Amino acid sequence: MTFKLCKLLLALIGLTVVMGCTRTPKWTLFYIADKTVAQSSSSAPVDLIQTEFIAGYYDSLAQYQAKGAGMLRLQASSMPAAQAFVCAQQCQIDDKQQLHCTHKVIGAELDAL
């Protein structure tokens, strides 16, 4: 009885560890401040969301906000946050290699959240 219980407990711990390692982040940071496309665009980069601009994956919106703002500071960029980066929630690539995201938050919305 105790052997079966120990085996079950060990299996449960193993499953928990494996599931924790395979969890997908909910937010993707798209950073375009260092790309030439950003200088030519005067509006928010919402339409420019492409895989080549991915700068990181985050579990929470707060993590994304901190990273995007930090990247701007480190780069000493004078570009407004609204043109520098955008974050999108639950992004997936479809069969045609097109990127689709459920919700987008541009850098200018940082203060509003």
Side-chain angles (χ1 to χ4, degrees):
M1 174 84 172
T2 356
F3 182 69
K4 285 184 180 181
L5 185 59
C6 287
K7 257 178 108 174
L8 182 63
L9 185 58
L10 187 59
L12 183 62
I13 290 172
L15 184 63
T16 304
V17 168
V18 169
M19 293 302 287
C21 294
T22 59
R23 188 178 77 199
T24 14
K26 295 178 184 174
W27 293 93
T28 305
L29 172 63
F30 297 88
Y31 187 76
I32 62 165
D34 57 350
K35 307 289 183 194
T36 55
V37 124
Q39 277 90 35
S40 65
S41 174
S42 60
S43 63
V46 174
D47 296 330
L48 299 173
I49 292 180
Q50 300 171 13
T51 54
E52 64 190 82
F53 299 127
I54 294 177
Y57 303 96
Y58 303 93
D59 289 326
S60 73
L61 187 58
Q63 289 173 339
Y64 137 73
Q65 291 171 332
K67 181 63 176 187
M71 288 176 75
L72 274 176
R73 275 193 305 276
L74 285 174
Q75 196 177 27
S77 177
S78 59
M79 179 176 287
Q83 295 175 353
F85 59 93
V86 65
C87 188
Q89 188 176 30
Q90 297 173 342
C91 295
Q92 304 233 347
I93 297 177
D94 65 12
D95 296 336
K96 297 177 183 176
Q97 299 302 310
Q98 296 294 315
L99 189 65
H100 298 281
C101 305
T102 58
H103 179 70
K104 297 170 189 158
V105 177
I106 61 171
E109 295 178 28
L110 290 174
D111 296 331
L113 296 172

XYZ file of all heavy atoms in Angstrom:
858
model
N 0.829 -1.195 0.000
C 0.000 0.000 0.000
C 0.872 1.257 0.000
O 0.657 2.161 -0.788
C -0.947 -0.040 1.206
C -1.747 1.201 1.380
S -3.193 1.116 0.336
C -4.048 2.514 0.900
N 1.855 1.310 0.898
C 2.710 2.484 0.977
C 3.594 2.604 -0.261
O 3.874 3.708 -0.694
C 3.642 2.425 2.206
O 3.357 1.306 2.990
C 3.563 3.645 3.013
N 4.000 1.479 -0.829
C 4.819 1.506 -2.037
C 4.034 2.114 -3.199
O 4.558 2.936 -3.951
C 5.291 0.087 -2.377
C 6.167 0.039 -3.579
C 7.449 0.578 -3.547
C 5.721 -0.534 -4.754
C 8.259 0.537 -4.664
C 6.520 -0.574 -5.868
C 7.801 -0.041 -5.832
N 2.760 1.722 -3.327
C 1.919 2.274 -4.394
C 1.683 3.766 -4.181
O 1.689 4.546 -5.133
C 0.583 1.546 -4.452
C 0.674 0.173 -5.061
C -0.689 -0.443 -5.168
C -0.595 -1.822 -5.786
N -1.896 -2.450 -5.933
N 1.495 4.157 -2.943
C 1.290 5.569 -2.625
C 2.537 6.388 -2.945
O 2.446 7.478 -3.516
C 0.905 5.724 -1.144
C 0.537 7.128 -0.676
C -0.647 7.661 -1.463
C 0.224 7.125 0.795
N 3.703 5.852 -2.605
C 4.961 6.537 -2.912
C 5.158 6.656 -4.419
O 5.606 7.691 -4.916
C 6.140 5.798 -2.293
S 6.253 5.992 -0.512
N 4.826 5.602 -5.163
C 4.943 5.628 -6.616
C 4.010 6.682 -7.224
O 4.389 7.429 -8.113
C 4.601 4.248 -7.197
C 5.794 3.449 -7.617
C 5.360 2.106 -8.110
C 5.527 2.033 -9.602
N 5.257 0.704 -10.134
N 2.807 6.719 -6.709
C 1.830 7.685 -7.191
C 2.272 9.111 -6.884
O 2.168 10.000 -7.731
C 0.456 7.403 -6.563
C -0.679 8.297 -7.007
C -0.932 8.121 -8.508
C -1.936 7.988 -6.236
N 2.778 9.323 -5.697
C 3.259 10.642 -5.303
C 4.452 11.065 -6.158
O 4.521 12.209 -6.612
C 3.638 10.649 -3.818
C 4.047 11.988 -3.223
C 2.940 13.012 -3.386
C 4.396 11.830 -1.763
N 5.356 10.154 -6.401
C 6.520 10.436 -7.247
C 6.096 10.761 -8.679
O 6.623 11.690 -9.300
C 7.483 9.244 -7.235
C 8.816 9.447 -7.938
C 9.576 10.606 -7.324
C 9.635 8.177 -7.874
N 5.132 10.031 -9.198
C 4.621 10.289 -10.548
C 3.951 11.661 -10.614
O 4.115 12.395 -11.593
C 3.647 9.201 -10.960
N 3.211 12.011 -9.596
C 2.543 13.312 -9.539
C 3.558 14.457 -9.499
O 3.403 15.457 -10.197
C 1.617 13.379 -8.322
C 0.792 14.650 -8.176
C -0.142 14.804 -9.370
C -0.017 14.601 -6.897
N 4.611 14.296 -8.719
C 5.664 15.319 -8.648
C 6.360 15.446 -9.999
O 6.607 16.549 -10.485
C 6.672 14.980 -7.525
C 6.011 15.176 -6.158
C 7.926 15.849 -7.638
C 6.839 14.690 -4.992
N 6.655 14.317 -10.630
C 7.294 14.333 -11.946
C 6.434 15.021 -12.984
O 6.911 15.813 -13.797
N 5.147 14.745 -12.959
C 4.218 15.365 -13.903
C 4.140 16.875 -13.676
O 4.119 17.654 -14.629
C 2.831 14.733 -13.764
C 1.775 15.216 -14.743
C 2.186 14.860 -16.166
C 0.435 14.600 -14.416
N 4.137 17.281 -12.433
C 4.092 18.702 -12.104
C 5.336 19.422 -12.619
O 5.249 20.515 -13.185
C 3.972 18.905 -10.577
O 2.818 18.211 -10.116
C 3.871 20.365 -10.218
N 6.492 18.805 -12.451
C 7.745 19.411 -12.922
C 7.736 19.522 -14.441
O 8.086 20.561 -15.003
C 8.962 18.586 -12.437
C 10.235 19.011 -13.153
C 9.123 18.717 -10.936
N 7.313 18.481 -15.129
C 7.280 18.497 -16.589
C 6.287 19.536 -17.087
O 6.577 20.283 -18.025
C 6.934 17.095 -17.148
C 6.638 17.152 -18.629
C 8.079 16.137 -16.873
N 5.129 19.623 -16.496
C 4.128 20.605 -16.922
C 4.609 22.025 -16.666
O 4.337 22.923 -17.444
C 2.791 20.370 -16.210
C 2.106 19.074 -16.603
S 1.770 18.952 -18.349
C 0.438 20.102 -18.486
N 5.340 22.245 -15.600
C 5.875 23.565 -15.294
C 6.918 24.000 -16.300
O 7.050 25.169 -16.621
N 7.645 23.052 -16.855
C 8.691 23.366 -17.830
C 8.130 23.596 -19.230
O 8.798 24.176 -20.070
C 9.706 22.233 -17.885
S 10.647 22.044 -16.369
N 6.947 23.131 -19.495
C 6.393 23.253 -20.842
C 5.295 24.309 -20.943
O 4.656 24.417 -21.965
C 5.817 21.906 -21.320
O 4.808 21.491 -20.408
C 6.898 20.864 -21.432
N 5.118 25.075 -19.899
C 4.084 26.114 -19.917
C 4.443 27.194 -20.939
O 5.571 27.649 -21.015
C 3.971 26.726 -18.522
C 2.791 27.663 -18.397
C 2.696 28.203 -17.009
N 3.716 29.233 -16.881
C 4.169 29.676 -15.736
N 3.736 29.185 -14.621
N 5.087 30.606 -15.691
N 3.481 27.601 -21.737
C 3.731 28.632 -22.743
C 3.436 30.012 -22.172
O 2.421 30.204 -21.528
C 2.824 28.438 -23.978
O 1.804 27.537 -23.686
C 3.581 28.043 -25.170
N 4.311 30.968 -22.452
C 4.057 32.331 -21.999
C 2.845 32.912 -22.726
O 2.566 32.561 -23.858
C 5.321 33.085 -22.390
C 6.276 32.092 -22.895
C 5.563 30.824 -23.129
N 2.152 33.807 -22.059
C 0.934 34.378 -22.624
C 1.199 35.625 -23.451
O 0.421 35.971 -24.318
C -0.038 34.723 -21.494
C -0.525 33.518 -20.743
C -1.438 33.923 -19.618
C -1.838 32.702 -18.806
N -2.592 33.041 -17.633
N 2.286 36.340 -23.177
C 2.552 37.623 -23.828
C 3.840 37.555 -24.645
O 4.830 37.000 -24.207
C 2.679 38.731 -22.792
C 1.393 39.002 -22.095
C 0.956 38.470 -20.918
C 0.346 39.863 -22.544
N -0.289 38.954 -20.610
C -0.689 39.809 -21.583
C 0.184 40.675 -23.657
C -1.864 40.537 -21.710
C -0.986 41.406 -23.788
C -1.993 41.338 -22.817
N 3.825 38.167 -25.814
C 4.997 38.243 -26.686
C 5.343 39.711 -26.904
O 4.477 40.506 -27.246
C 4.699 37.579 -28.054
O 4.256 36.248 -27.827
C 5.931 37.561 -28.934
N 6.603 40.058 -26.702
C 7.067 41.432 -26.895
C 7.631 41.575 -28.306
O 8.518 40.833 -28.706
C 8.160 41.768 -25.875
C 8.891 43.106 -26.055
C 7.934 44.280 -25.911
C 10.030 43.225 -25.067
N 7.079 42.521 -29.060
C 7.570 42.857 -30.390
C 8.255 44.208 -30.276
O 7.610 45.210 -29.974
C 6.418 42.933 -31.402
C 5.716 41.619 -31.582
C 4.651 41.269 -30.769
C 6.119 40.733 -32.565
C 4.000 40.052 -30.934
C 5.478 39.519 -32.742
C 4.414 39.182 -31.923
N 9.553 44.247 -30.504
C 10.345 45.473 -30.318
C 10.907 45.897 -31.664
O 11.675 45.168 -32.285
C 11.478 45.184 -29.336
C 12.267 46.394 -28.942
C 11.754 47.310 -28.032
C 13.535 46.620 -29.457
C 12.474 48.421 -27.654
C 14.266 47.732 -29.081
C 13.728 48.621 -28.182
O 14.452 49.732 -27.801
N 10.524 47.086 -32.134
C 10.972 47.531 -33.454
C 11.769 48.828 -33.401
O 12.114 49.371 -34.433
C 9.786 47.690 -34.429
C 8.818 48.752 -33.927
C 9.076 46.386 -34.655
C 7.848 49.201 -34.982
N 12.105 49.318 -32.232
C 12.801 50.602 -32.119
C 14.162 50.580 -32.798
O 14.634 51.610 -33.255
C 12.958 50.993 -30.664
N 14.808 49.431 -32.874
C 16.125 49.375 -33.497
C 16.053 48.964 -34.968
O 17.069 48.703 -35.592
C 17.044 48.433 -32.727
C 16.478 47.035 -32.611
O 15.297 46.831 -32.950
O 17.217 46.139 -32.172
N 14.871 48.926 -35.537
C 14.698 48.553 -36.947
C 14.388 49.793 -37.770
O 13.775 50.737 -37.280
C 13.546 47.549 -37.114
C 13.656 46.322 -36.236
C 14.758 45.427 -36.695
C 14.778 44.178 -35.824
N 15.951 43.398 -35.953
N 14.766 49.808 -39.031
C 14.512 50.962 -39.891
C 13.033 51.158 -40.156
O 12.583 52.257 -40.412
C 15.245 50.797 -41.238
O 14.852 49.561 -41.815
C 16.731 50.845 -41.058
N 12.267 50.093 -40.075
C 10.818 50.181 -40.277
C 10.184 51.118 -39.247
O 9.239 51.820 -39.530
C 10.237 48.758 -40.217
C 9.171 48.596 -39.190
C 9.695 48.353 -41.548
N 10.717 51.156 -38.051
C 10.155 51.993 -36.994
C 10.305 53.469 -37.315
O 9.415 54.254 -37.038
C 10.828 51.674 -35.667
N 11.434 53.856 -37.897
C 11.636 55.265 -38.213
C 10.707 55.747 -39.320
O 10.330 56.897 -39.362
C 13.087 55.523 -38.633
C 14.007 55.715 -37.443
C 14.610 54.408 -36.961
O 14.900 53.528 -37.751
N 14.794 54.273 -35.675
N 10.335 54.855 -40.222
C 9.484 55.272 -41.330
C 8.001 55.266 -40.976
O 7.186 55.755 -41.720
C 9.719 54.357 -42.536
O 9.310 53.046 -42.224
N 7.660 54.731 -39.843
C 6.254 54.649 -39.449
C 5.941 55.720 -38.420
O 6.640 55.869 -37.439
C 5.966 53.268 -38.847
O 4.658 53.235 -38.351
N 4.869 56.452 -38.631
C 4.505 57.497 -37.680
C 3.402 57.046 -36.730
O 3.062 57.732 -35.795
C 4.048 58.745 -38.437
O 2.918 58.413 -39.228
N 2.847 55.874 -36.990
C 1.781 55.379 -36.119
C 2.279 54.213 -35.270
O 3.413 53.798 -35.373
C 0.597 54.917 -36.975
O 1.009 53.846 -37.788
N 1.410 53.718 -34.445
C 1.753 52.589 -33.586
C 2.085 51.361 -34.426
O 1.509 51.159 -35.483
C 0.585 52.281 -32.659
N 3.004 50.524 -33.959
C 3.467 49.396 -34.750
C 2.550 48.180 -34.720
O 3.000 47.067 -34.946
C 4.804 49.070 -34.090
C 4.604 49.440 -32.669
C 3.716 50.651 -32.707
N 1.282 48.378 -34.476
C 0.359 47.252 -34.347
C 0.325 46.410 -35.620
O 0.283 45.195 -35.570
C -1.059 47.747 -33.973
C -2.051 46.605 -33.970
C -1.033 48.417 -32.615
N 0.384 47.048 -36.793
C 0.340 46.310 -38.047
C 1.682 45.697 -38.407
O 1.778 44.926 -39.343
C -0.115 47.229 -39.182
C -1.538 47.707 -38.965
O -2.325 46.965 -38.342
O -1.858 48.824 -39.404
N 2.739 46.054 -37.695
C 4.076 45.566 -38.010
C 4.465 44.332 -37.203
O 5.629 43.967 -37.170
C 5.103 46.679 -37.757
C 4.916 47.931 -38.604
C 5.868 49.018 -38.149
C 5.125 47.617 -40.070
N 3.516 43.726 -36.545
C 3.823 42.565 -35.721
C 4.203 41.396 -36.622
O 3.382 40.872 -37.361
C 2.642 42.196 -34.811
C 2.453 43.281 -33.771
C 2.859 40.862 -34.146
C 1.333 43.051 -32.830
N 5.474 41.027 -36.559
C 6.005 39.920 -37.336
C 6.977 39.142 -36.468
O 7.512 39.667 -35.491
C 6.729 40.443 -38.573
C 5.835 41.242 -39.499
C 6.644 41.915 -40.603
O 7.798 41.609 -40.821
N 6.006 42.840 -41.284
N 7.242 37.916 -36.855
C 8.135 37.079 -36.054
C 9.543 37.653 -35.964
O 10.227 37.437 -34.978
C 8.195 35.643 -36.615
O 8.555 35.708 -37.993
C 6.879 34.930 -36.462
N 9.986 38.399 -36.962
C 11.342 38.950 -36.928
C 11.523 40.010 -35.843
O 12.637 40.333 -35.465
C 11.721 39.530 -38.283
C 10.860 40.722 -38.683
C 11.073 41.133 -40.130
O 10.457 40.504 -40.997
O 11.850 42.067 -40.360
N 10.433 40.554 -35.319
C 10.519 41.590 -34.291
C 10.351 41.049 -32.867
O 10.338 41.819 -31.920
C 9.460 42.678 -34.533
C 9.612 43.373 -35.853
C 8.544 43.456 -36.728
C 10.809 43.943 -36.234
C 8.662 44.095 -37.948
C 10.951 44.585 -37.455
C 9.879 44.654 -38.317
N 10.196 39.755 -32.706
C 9.980 39.183 -31.369
C 11.227 39.369 -30.522
O 12.326 38.982 -30.913
C 9.587 37.701 -31.452
C 8.217 37.558 -32.111
C 9.590 37.066 -30.054
C 7.760 36.132 -32.310
N 11.042 39.974 -29.361
C 12.161 40.233 -28.455
C 12.037 39.452 -27.158
O 12.926 39.513 -26.323
C 12.247 41.726 -28.145
N 10.956 38.738 -26.949
C 10.827 37.951 -25.736
C 9.410 37.487 -25.479
O 8.465 37.969 -26.093
N 9.317 36.531 -24.566
C 8.030 35.943 -24.183
C 7.871 36.104 -22.679
O 8.809 35.857 -21.930
C 7.982 34.458 -24.547
C 8.239 34.201 -26.008
C 9.507 33.872 -26.459
C 7.213 34.299 -26.944
C 9.748 33.641 -27.803
C 7.451 34.077 -28.283
C 8.716 33.751 -28.704
O 8.951 33.529 -30.026
N 6.678 36.505 -22.235
C 6.462 36.818 -20.824
C 5.153 36.242 -20.322
O 4.189 36.119 -21.065
C 6.510 38.346 -20.621
C 7.819 38.901 -21.111
C 7.945 39.373 -22.416
C 8.941 38.862 -20.314
C 9.171 39.821 -22.887
C 10.165 39.310 -20.779
C 10.273 39.781 -22.067
O 11.472 40.209 -22.542
N 5.136 35.920 -19.044
C 3.943 35.346 -18.421
C 2.913 36.402 -18.062
O 1.733 36.117 -17.973
C 4.316 34.558 -17.166
C 5.037 33.269 -17.506
O 4.723 32.675 -18.549
O 5.922 32.871 -16.740
N 3.363 37.631 -17.834
C 2.407 38.663 -17.426
C 2.638 39.957 -18.198
O 3.730 40.201 -18.728
C 2.532 38.945 -15.922
O 3.719 39.664 -15.660
N 1.629 40.770 -18.236
C 1.702 42.063 -18.900
C 2.709 42.972 -18.197
O 3.436 43.733 -18.838
C 0.317 42.716 -18.939
C 0.188 43.996 -19.741
C 0.597 43.789 -21.195
C -1.243 44.506 -19.676
N 2.801 42.869 -16.884
C 3.749 43.697 -16.127
C 5.193 43.374 -16.518
O 6.030 44.272 -16.630
C 3.548 43.492 -14.631
N 5.498 42.103 -16.748
C 6.847 41.715 -17.172
C 7.163 42.303 -18.544
O 8.261 42.795 -18.788
C 6.970 40.192 -17.230
C 6.976 39.525 -15.889
C 6.930 38.008 -16.018
O 6.514 37.457 -17.032
N 7.365 37.326 -14.964
N 6.203 42.247 -19.448
C 6.387 42.812 -20.784
C 6.631 44.309 -20.703
O 7.520 44.846 -21.361
C 5.171 42.499 -21.665
C 4.713 43.663 -22.508
C 5.443 44.083 -23.620
C 3.562 44.376 -22.184
C 5.027 45.158 -24.392
C 3.146 45.445 -22.952
C 3.884 45.828 -24.049
O 3.482 46.887 -24.797
N 5.836 45.004 -19.887
C 5.970 46.450 -19.764
C 7.360 46.829 -19.266
O 7.998 47.736 -19.798
C 4.918 46.999 -18.808
C 3.516 46.907 -19.349
C 2.471 47.245 -18.291
O 2.696 47.054 -17.110
N 1.340 47.738 -18.737
N 7.826 46.127 -18.262
C 9.137 46.416 -17.694
C 10.243 46.160 -18.715
O 11.183 46.957 -18.837
C 9.360 45.573 -16.445
N 10.148 45.076 -19.459
C 11.172 44.749 -20.446
C 11.188 45.752 -21.596
O 12.250 46.220 -22.009
C 10.945 43.334 -20.982
C 11.967 42.891 -21.985
C 13.362 42.837 -21.370
C 14.364 42.292 -22.374
N 15.659 42.068 -21.793
N 10.037 46.116 -22.127
C 9.969 47.075 -23.226
C 10.522 48.430 -22.826
O 11.318 49.031 -23.557
N 10.125 48.917 -21.670
C 10.621 50.209 -21.186
C 12.119 50.142 -20.908
O 12.859 51.076 -21.205
C 9.863 50.618 -19.927
N 12.565 49.022 -20.358
C 13.992 48.841 -20.083
C 14.826 48.820 -21.357
O 15.924 49.378 -21.407
N 14.317 48.172 -22.397
C 15.035 48.130 -23.673
C 15.171 49.531 -24.263
O 16.216 49.883 -24.810
C 14.328 47.193 -24.650
C 14.484 45.727 -24.282
S 13.570 44.607 -25.356
C 14.585 44.626 -26.826
N 14.126 50.331 -24.148
C 14.193 51.718 -24.633
C 15.248 52.517 -23.862
O 16.017 53.270 -24.440
C 12.837 52.394 -24.499
C 11.861 52.202 -25.650
C 10.524 52.855 -25.333
C 12.419 52.751 -26.942
N 15.260 52.344 -22.531
C 16.246 53.060 -21.710
C 17.667 52.621 -22.056
O 18.565 53.447 -22.207
C 15.981 52.818 -20.222
C 14.964 53.747 -19.618
C 14.971 53.686 -18.100
N 14.787 52.353 -17.564
C 13.609 51.754 -17.377
N 12.501 52.396 -17.679
N 13.535 50.548 -16.886
N 17.893 51.311 -22.172
C 19.229 50.806 -22.479
C 19.720 51.266 -23.846
O 20.902 51.519 -24.040
C 19.246 49.276 -22.424
C 19.220 48.658 -21.039
C 19.094 47.152 -21.127
C 20.481 49.030 -20.272
N 18.825 51.379 -24.768
C 19.181 51.805 -26.115
C 19.305 53.329 -26.196
O 19.764 53.858 -27.192
C 18.130 51.300 -27.105
C 18.568 51.353 -28.528
C 17.517 50.783 -29.462
O 16.327 50.804 -29.171
N 17.962 50.282 -30.588
N 18.903 54.016 -25.134
C 18.891 55.480 -25.091
C 18.131 56.035 -26.286
O 18.535 57.007 -26.909
C 20.309 56.037 -25.025
N 17.017 55.411 -26.570
C 16.209 55.793 -27.716
C 15.287 56.947 -27.358
O 14.703 56.987 -26.284
C 15.375 54.602 -28.179
O 14.527 54.966 -29.238
N 15.168 57.879 -28.289
C 14.242 58.995 -28.082
C 12.885 58.680 -28.719
O 11.973 59.499 -28.677
C 14.816 60.275 -28.691
O 15.028 60.084 -30.075
N 12.764 57.498 -29.291
C 11.512 57.091 -29.927
C 10.425 56.909 -28.872
O 10.677 56.321 -27.818
C 11.724 55.776 -30.676
C 10.476 55.265 -31.355
S 10.818 53.777 -32.298
C 11.697 54.495 -33.650
N 9.236 57.416 -29.120
C 8.136 57.217 -28.168
C 7.796 55.722 -28.042
O 7.928 54.963 -29.008
C 6.966 57.973 -28.787
C 7.498 58.723 -29.941
C 8.839 58.192 -30.282
N 7.356 55.345 -26.884
C 7.014 53.941 -26.636
C 5.943 53.441 -27.605
O 5.934 52.273 -27.978
C 6.549 53.761 -25.194
N 5.060 54.327 -28.037
C 3.978 53.931 -28.950
C 4.510 53.465 -30.301
O 3.838 52.727 -31.005
C 3.020 55.098 -29.162
N 5.714 53.870 -30.648
C 6.299 53.449 -31.919
C 7.386 52.409 -31.734
O 7.853 51.822 -32.689
C 6.876 54.659 -32.650
C 5.827 55.654 -33.064
C 6.433 56.907 -33.677
O 7.646 57.081 -33.679
N 5.590 57.775 -34.192
N 7.823 52.191 -30.516
C 8.969 51.333 -30.264
C 8.614 49.873 -30.038
O 9.322 48.985 -30.483
C 9.740 51.849 -29.061
N 7.528 49.612 -29.329
C 7.204 48.216 -29.046
C 5.721 48.008 -28.815
O 4.976 48.934 -28.529
C 8.009 47.684 -27.857
C 7.800 48.426 -26.566
C 6.855 48.017 -25.647
C 8.571 49.536 -26.261
C 6.678 48.693 -24.462
C 8.406 50.221 -25.066
C 7.456 49.791 -24.167
N 5.327 46.770 -28.973
C 3.943 46.365 -28.757
C 3.970 44.962 -28.174
O 4.914 44.204 -28.417
C 3.129 46.429 -30.080
C 3.645 45.438 -31.076
C 1.654 46.208 -29.843
N 2.997 44.645 -27.410
C 2.906 43.311 -26.837
C 1.594 42.695 -27.286
O 0.586 43.376 -27.397
C 2.942 43.384 -25.320
S 3.073 41.769 -24.551
N 1.640 41.412 -27.560
C 0.439 40.719 -28.010
C 0.225 39.469 -27.174
O 1.181 38.835 -26.733
C 0.562 40.368 -29.482
N -1.015 39.147 -26.970
C -1.381 38.019 -26.116
C -1.728 36.801 -26.958
O -2.387 36.908 -27.987
C -2.574 38.409 -25.252
C -2.916 37.399 -24.193
C -4.046 37.900 -23.300
O -4.901 38.666 -23.730
N -4.040 37.472 -22.072
N -1.247 35.649 -26.501
C -1.554 34.342 -27.084
C -1.376 34.329 -28.606
O -2.309 34.089 -29.361
C -2.960 33.909 -26.691
C -3.094 33.729 -25.195
C -4.510 33.460 -24.742
O -5.465 33.721 -25.480
N -4.650 32.958 -23.537
N -0.149 34.567 -29.041
C 0.164 34.568 -30.476
C 0.381 33.154 -30.985
O 0.972 32.329 -30.298
C 1.422 35.394 -30.730
S 1.199 37.137 -30.343
N -0.089 32.912 -32.193
C 0.070 31.609 -32.826
C 0.341 31.826 -34.307
O -0.133 32.790 -34.903
C -1.201 30.786 -32.664
C -1.612 30.617 -31.229
C -1.816 29.170 -30.871
O -1.886 28.317 -31.738
N -1.914 28.893 -29.603
N 1.074 30.912 -34.895
C 1.334 30.947 -36.333
C 0.435 29.912 -36.988
O 0.395 28.754 -36.573
C 2.809 30.648 -36.628
C 3.683 31.735 -36.000
C 3.054 30.552 -38.124
C 5.156 31.528 -36.162
N -0.310 30.341 -38.019
C -1.234 29.422 -38.689
C -0.516 28.620 -39.782
O 0.706 28.715 -39.935
C -2.446 30.179 -39.256
C -2.090 31.148 -40.364
O -0.954 31.107 -40.874
O -2.962 31.959 -40.727
N -1.275 27.845 -40.537
C -0.720 26.987 -41.586
C -0.033 27.774 -42.696
O 0.845 27.266 -43.379
C -1.825 26.123 -42.204
C -2.417 25.164 -41.181
O -1.716 24.842 -40.200
O -3.572 24.742 -41.366
N -0.446 29.009 -42.894
C 0.133 29.854 -43.944
C 1.295 30.695 -43.421
O 1.701 31.661 -44.046
C -0.942 30.760 -44.536
C -2.060 30.001 -45.216
C -3.117 30.948 -45.719
C -4.274 30.158 -46.329
N -5.357 31.035 -46.753
N 1.789 30.356 -42.229
C 2.899 31.047 -41.580
C 2.575 32.507 -41.256
O 3.460 33.360 -41.215
C 4.173 30.968 -42.433
C 4.662 29.562 -42.663
C 4.945 28.819 -41.362
O 5.639 29.335 -40.503
N 4.402 27.624 -41.217
N 1.294 32.797 -41.021
C 0.864 34.127 -40.616
C 0.709 34.155 -39.100
O 0.179 33.222 -38.512
C -0.473 34.492 -41.271
C -0.400 34.581 -42.781
C 0.487 35.719 -43.230
O 0.419 36.829 -42.719
N 1.346 35.437 -44.199
N 1.136 35.225 -38.485
C 1.070 35.369 -37.045
C -0.255 36.000 -36.646
O -0.635 37.038 -37.177
C 2.233 36.243 -36.572
C 2.461 36.353 -35.083
C 2.858 34.999 -34.497
C 3.554 37.366 -34.799
N -0.953 35.368 -35.710
C -2.238 35.883 -35.221
C -2.186 35.963 -33.695
O -1.746 35.020 -33.041
C -3.389 34.966 -35.643
C -3.538 34.862 -37.123
N -4.145 35.828 -37.881
C -3.120 33.907 -37.996
C -4.125 35.481 -39.146
N -3.497 34.317 -39.249
N -2.640 37.093 -33.160
C -2.645 37.296 -31.716
C -4.039 37.737 -31.292
O -4.737 38.418 -32.041
C -1.621 38.359 -31.334
S 0.043 38.002 -31.927
N -4.429 37.379 -30.067
C -5.786 37.683 -29.618
C -5.960 39.128 -29.155
O -7.016 39.707 -29.324
C -6.222 36.748 -28.479
O -5.297 36.875 -27.406
C -6.288 35.314 -28.951
N -4.930 39.708 -28.558
C -5.051 41.054 -28.002
C -3.699 41.739 -28.116
O -2.672 41.123 -27.903
C -5.480 40.971 -26.529
C -5.609 42.290 -25.856
N -6.597 43.191 -26.152
C -4.854 42.880 -24.900
C -6.447 44.273 -25.391
N -5.395 44.098 -24.636
N -3.695 43.040 -28.430
C -2.445 43.793 -28.558
C -2.458 45.005 -27.637
O -3.477 45.669 -27.492
C -2.254 44.253 -30.006
C -2.131 43.098 -30.966
C -2.197 43.560 -32.391
C -2.300 42.347 -33.298
N -2.865 42.651 -34.583
N -1.325 45.264 -27.022
C -1.155 46.432 -26.160
C 0.072 47.168 -26.660
O 1.172 46.618 -26.654
C -0.954 46.020 -24.686
C -0.717 47.239 -23.814
C -2.139 45.231 -24.172
N -0.094 48.408 -27.101
C 1.059 49.174 -27.579
C 1.762 49.826 -26.411
O 1.193 50.018 -25.340
C 0.662 50.212 -28.652
C -0.318 51.230 -28.087
C 0.099 49.540 -29.882
C -0.574 52.390 -29.025
N 3.014 50.186 -26.609
C 3.837 50.763 -25.551
C 3.237 52.019 -24.937
O 3.458 52.300 -23.761
N 2.481 52.800 -25.704
C 1.897 54.045 -25.185
C 0.854 53.784 -24.120
O 0.529 54.670 -23.342
C 1.265 54.831 -26.325
N 0.334 52.591 -24.055
C -0.691 52.269 -23.067
C -0.092 51.896 -21.716
O -0.812 51.518 -20.807
C -1.568 51.118 -23.588
C -2.360 51.476 -24.801
C -3.189 50.307 -25.328
O -3.563 49.442 -24.515
O -3.436 50.275 -26.520
N 1.218 52.009 -21.584
C 1.876 51.609 -20.337
C 1.328 52.359 -19.131
O 1.095 51.775 -18.092
C 3.384 51.855 -20.428
C 4.154 50.948 -21.366
C 5.596 51.391 -21.461
C 4.067 49.523 -20.923
N 1.156 53.663 -19.280
C 0.702 54.457 -18.154
C -0.756 54.205 -17.800
O -1.179 54.423 -16.675
C 0.896 55.951 -18.439
C 2.359 56.295 -18.598
O 3.201 55.598 -17.984
O 2.662 57.238 -19.329
N -1.514 53.732 -18.770
C -2.940 53.520 -18.541
C -3.224 52.218 -17.809
O -4.307 52.020 -17.308
C -3.685 53.510 -19.892
N -2.249 51.319 -17.774
C -2.501 50.009 -17.156
C -2.072 49.961 -15.722
O -1.218 50.632 -15.289
C -1.776 48.935 -17.952
C -2.275 48.779 -19.386
C -1.377 47.842 -20.142
C -3.688 48.283 -19.411
